């Protein structure tokens, strides 16, 4: 039967590709989204190793039920892929407080809900892998990405520490930091824009929104290739703690590291 996977956000995008790659590798996948029917539609019918379940990751009790049901049915959760998320794209002051909190509710606290539900089962077996889909935006922030990056920076800090807590118990962690992927992540299904008009930002916001519209569907990263890499790493006995995926992501992350080194050096020079 292979490994038992629990994947969130499967109805489209990278989650769908990860699920497909895992199924192609002979794995069994409990595939979740807010609508189980949306998962079924995404896979054009039933697959004998695909098991769709509805899960809103912001509902902690629902996450507990899905984890318990998976373990009861299959005996284990070998791999958790915390993938579900979305992006608030735009300038910080154009977002309401509610929109910012919603970004964290899904991207950070939702992922925490699922990890909190799954970790006890992995601890009991002293085995498991938690794959967290972060972003290069969890390492580097730019104008227009401040709110989304804030949520992903938080995910990075949480998982970097949580992974060290889990490692002595036989549980591994893989943080995935893609650059721009050719998914629907930047369209209205997965991205949201600020709603407050501010004259000082109007021109810059218009340029940013034009950039997003122009990039959507033309992103350089291949989600199928990333999904295959994630599945291959999950099936290895040893895997890296991070996967920075895409030339763009590696360039941005490298530039950030260089910038930090320079700033640290300048701080030392100043005493």
């Amino acid at each position: 039967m292979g490994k038992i996977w629990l994947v969130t956000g499967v109805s489209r995008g990278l989650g769908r590709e990860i699920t497909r790659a895992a199924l192609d590798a002979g794995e069994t996948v409990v595939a979740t989204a807010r609508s189980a029917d949306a998962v079924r539609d995404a896979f054009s019918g039933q697959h004998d190793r695909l098991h769709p379940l509805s899960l809103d990751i912001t509902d902690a009790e629902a996450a507990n039920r899905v984890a318990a049901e998976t373990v009861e049915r299959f005996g284990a959760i070998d791999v958790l892929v915390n993938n579900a998320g979305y992006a608030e794209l735009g300038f910080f002051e154009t977002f309401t407080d509610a929109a910012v909190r919603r970004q964290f509710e899904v991207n950070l606290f939702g992922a925490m809900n699922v990890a909190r539900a799954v970790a006890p089962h992995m601890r009991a077996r002293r085995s498991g892998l938690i794959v967290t889909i972060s972003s290069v935006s969890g390492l580097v922030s730019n104008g227009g990405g401040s709110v989304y990056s804030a949520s992903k920076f938080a995910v990075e800090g949480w998982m970097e520490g949580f992974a060290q807590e889990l490692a002595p118990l036989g549980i591994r962690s893989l943080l995935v930091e893609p650059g721009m992927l050719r998914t629907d992540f930047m369209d209205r299904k997965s991205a949201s824009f600020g709603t407050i008009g501010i004259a000082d930002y109007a021109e810059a916001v218009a340029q940013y929104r034009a950039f997003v519209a122009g990039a959507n569907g033309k992103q350089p990263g291949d989600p199928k290739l990333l999904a295959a890499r994630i599945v291959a790493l999950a099936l290895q006995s040893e895997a890296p703690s991070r996967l920075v995926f895409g030339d763009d992501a590696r360039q941005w992350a490298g530039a950030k590291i260089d910038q930090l080194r320079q700033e640290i050096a300048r701080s030392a020079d100043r005493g």
Side-chain angles (χ1 to χ4, degrees):
M1 185 170 63
K3 294 182 183 296
I4 307 300
W5 293 56
L6 174 58
V7 186
T8 67
V10 168
S11 60
R12 60 181 185 269
L14 183 60
R16 180 172 58 194
E17 298 302 337
I18 292 170
T19 297
R20 188 169 285 132
L23 292 170
D24 289 346
E27 307 287 75
T28 297
V29 182
V30 176
T32 74
R34 281 175 293 180
S35 166
D37 287 339
V39 176
R40 295 185 187 96
D41 292 344
F43 286 85
S44 303
Q46 291 295 330
H47 187 295
D48 60 357
R49 284 180 283 102
L50 175 69
H51 303 278
L53 289 177
S54 296
L55 172 60
D56 178 345
I57 64 172
T58 66
D59 183 340
E61 287 304 312
N64 289 335
R65 287 194 298 271
V66 166
E69 183 176 337
T70 301
V71 171
E72 182 177 353
R73 182 169 183 179
F74 299 105
I77 299 171
D78 297 299
V79 182
L80 165 63
V81 182
N82 247 332
N83 166 75
Y86 78 105
E88 293 282 5
L89 300 175
F91 283 38
F92 169 66
E93 288 185 90
T94 69
F95 291 107
T96 64
D97 177 71
V100 174
R101 290 179 184 275
R102 176 65 181 171
Q103 179 77 107
F104 276 78
E105 195 64 43
V106 175
N107 288 4
L108 176 64
F109 298 122
M112 285 181 168
N113 285 338
V114 182
R116 193 180 283 115
V118 170
H121 301 287
M122 290 184 170
R123 283 192 284 104
R125 298 175 62 238
R126 294 297 194 263
S127 176
L129 170 65
I130 296 176
V131 179
T132 306
I133 306 302
S134 178
S135 169
V136 70
S137 295
L139 299 173
V140 180
S141 187
N142 295 293
S146 58
V147 171
Y148 176 62
S149 282
S151 72
K152 290 300 190 179
F153 268 62
V155 165
E156 294 270 338
W158 161 54
M159 278 309 304
E160 190 171 295
F162 189 30
Q164 294 176 44
E165 297 163 4
L166 292 171
L169 304 176
I171 301 166
R172 298 178 297 139
S173 168
L174 173 62
L175 264 168
V176 181
E177 295 147 342
M180 295 176 71
L181 296 174
R182 285 190 304 280
T183 67
D184 60 3
F185 191 71
M186 296 174 81
D187 72 14
R188 287 290 183 175
K189 291 180 182 177
S190 298
S192 181
F193 288 90
T195 57
I196 301 171
I198 298 178
D200 284 343
Y201 298 133
E203 184 177 349
V205 166
Q207 292 173 351
Y208 180 74
R209 293 186 70 153
F211 160 75
V212 170
N216 191 31
K218 301 174 185 175
Q219 298 95 322
D222 183 349
K224 291 183 172 62
L225 180 57
L226 175 55
R229 286 280 300 279
I230 290 169
V231 172
L233 289 172
L235 298 181
Q236 295 176 5
S237 58
E238 297 291 333
S241 58
R242 272 188 165 85
L243 170 60
V244 181
F245 181 83
D247 290 342
D248 55 347
R250 288 186 289 270
Q251 289 168 5
W252 296 336
K256 176 66 176 283
I257 291 167
D258 291 342
Q259 177 190 347
L260 285 173
R261 288 187 187 280
Q262 292 167 10
E263 291 174 351
I264 291 167
R266 284 198 296 269
S267 298
D269 291 342
R270 293 169 187 151

